[in-house]
Amino acid sequence: MEVAAGTSDAAVIDSLMAAAMVGEGTSYADLTYTVGLNSEEYGVGFRKGSDLTEALNEFFSSSYKDKSMTNCAETYGVQAAVIEQ
């Protein structure tokens, strides 16, 4: 908000949040992100031996194959963060 208001020259925020919050179709259509300081990786964890691990891995695999993962990511402007399966 400070950058958009002109009271700040730059902001440092999470890259996924930046991708979703700026650009066409957002409240900050005239802003963009320009510099990535590092890469970000995310993970999901379950208790050792949990049957949820296999279920989530299957969900990730099938939603990537049927393009629903990419479609969802595009909806929120974070498609660049989708990792090829």
Side-chain angles (χ1 to χ4, degrees):
M1 293 185 323
E2 297 291 328
V3 175
T7 56
S8 181
D9 293 328
V12 177
I13 62 173
D14 177 272
S15 63
L16 283 177
M17 185 168 56
M21 291 184 63
V22 302
E24 186 177 338
T26 70
S27 298
Y28 305 104
D30 58 336
L31 299 179
T32 187
Y33 62 95
T34 57
V35 177
L37 301 176
N38 62 4
S39 64
E40 297 178 39
E41 296 181 13
Y42 298 89
V44 178
F46 298 108
R47 289 181 187 256
K48 187 174 182 175
S50 172
D51 58 351
L52 292 174
T53 304
E54 185 178 337
L56 184 63
N57 285 338
E58 176 55 35
F59 168 77
F60 283 152
S61 179
S62 64
S63 65
Y64 183 83
K65 287 178 187 170
D66 71 12
K67 307 270 191 241
S68 60
M69 180 185 292
T70 302
N71 293 339
C72 182
E74 287 172 351
T75 298
Y76 296 99
V78 296
Q79 61 274 14
V82 175
I83 298 171
E84 184 176 342
Q85 301 289 304

